[in-house]
């Protein structure tokens, strides 16, 4: 699998979660501005739930390593890692590189820095698969590549 830029990979995970929730009849809301604990809020079966979304392309022995700890991701990072805590969200949605997906109550997550999905531990929370992350990301990556080529062509034409 080609490397997917982290921002695009994360967006693909959120799109996957939104689609899955909508297919269940949920109404989905996006938090205004950046929320470190919650990526989505959904009204599912008359109950508002807070959802953290994670993705993983790191596969070992048929299982995917999912990083739960947040280390920033931008130049203003304070250096403090934020570990997963079940009290900060109600559910964790995971989208693995091969399209497998899980929707689990945060209280069932047995880890603060990382977990492995794909084995028996979280099997009860696996939902139907979606597209692979590579397929989901391809149009965005192509658009970025075309934009870069286009900006170079414009600069070259001006010379």
């Amino acid at each position: 699998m080609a490397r997917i830029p982290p921002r695009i990979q994360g967006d693909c995970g959120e799109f996957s979660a939104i689609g899955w929730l909508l297919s269940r009849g949920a109404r989905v809301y996006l938090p205004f501005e950046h929320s470190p604990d919650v990526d989505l809020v959904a009204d599912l079966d008359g109950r508002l739930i807070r959802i953290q979304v994670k993705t993983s392309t790191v596969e070992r022995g048929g299982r995917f390593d999912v990083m739960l700890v947040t280390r920033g991701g931008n130049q203003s990072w304070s250096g403090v890692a934020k570990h997963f805590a079940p009290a900060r969200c109600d559910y964790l949605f995971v989208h693995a590189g091969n399209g497998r997906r899980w929707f689990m109550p945060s209280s069932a997550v047995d880890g603060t820095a990382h977990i492995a999905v794909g084995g028996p531990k979280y099997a009860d929370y696996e939902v139907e698969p979606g597209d692979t992350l590579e397929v989901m990301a391809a149009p965005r990556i192509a658009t970025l590549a075309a934009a870069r080529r286009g900006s170079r062509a414009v600069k070259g034409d001006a010379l």
Side-chain angles (χ1 to χ4, degrees):
M1 176 184 303
R3 180 159 158 44
I4 301 169
R7 179 61 157 216
I8 292 176
Q9 182 172 313
D11 287 349
C12 290
E14 290 181 18
F15 297 151
S16 176
I18 291 168
W20 184 82
L21 287 160
L22 290 173
S23 76
R24 300 289 167 289
R27 291 185 176 175
V28 180
Y29 306 93
L30 301 174
F32 182 70
E33 293 188 338
H34 172 73
S35 170
D37 302 321
V38 177
D39 294 308
L40 307 170
V41 175
D43 182 344
L44 183 63
D45 299 326
R47 181 173 159 240
L48 285 179
I49 56 173
R50 303 166 299 159
I51 304 156
Q52 178 65 246
V53 178
K54 297 292 182 183
T55 61
S56 175
T57 57
V58 179
E59 185 177 8
R60 294 186 180 114
R63 296 182 185 178
F64 282 85
D65 290 334
V66 181
M67 295 304 298
L68 299 176
V69 66
T70 303
R71 291 189 170 90
N74 62 42
Q75 295 177 359
S76 64
W77 180 45
S78 66
V80 177
K82 187 169 192 173
H83 288 78
F84 181 84
R88 291 193 200 119
C89 64
D90 302 306
Y91 284 86
L92 175 66
F93 184 94
V94 176
H95 189 118
N98 65 0
R100 290 176 70 186
R101 304 185 294 183
W102 292 261
F103 185 66
M104 61 188 82
S106 60
S107 59
V109 177
D110 188 23
T112 61
H114 66 90
I115 59 172
V117 295
K121 187 170 195 170
Y122 298 109
D124 289 345
Y125 305 110
E126 188 167 1
V127 298
E128 62 278 349
D131 287 331
T132 66
L133 288 174
E134 194 170 37
V135 165
M136 292 178 73
R140 299 249 334 256
I141 292 170
T143 299
L144 286 175
R148 286 187 188 122
R149 284 191 305 275
S151 66
R152 284 189 199 119
V154 170
K155 288 179 186 175
D157 290 344
L159 296 175

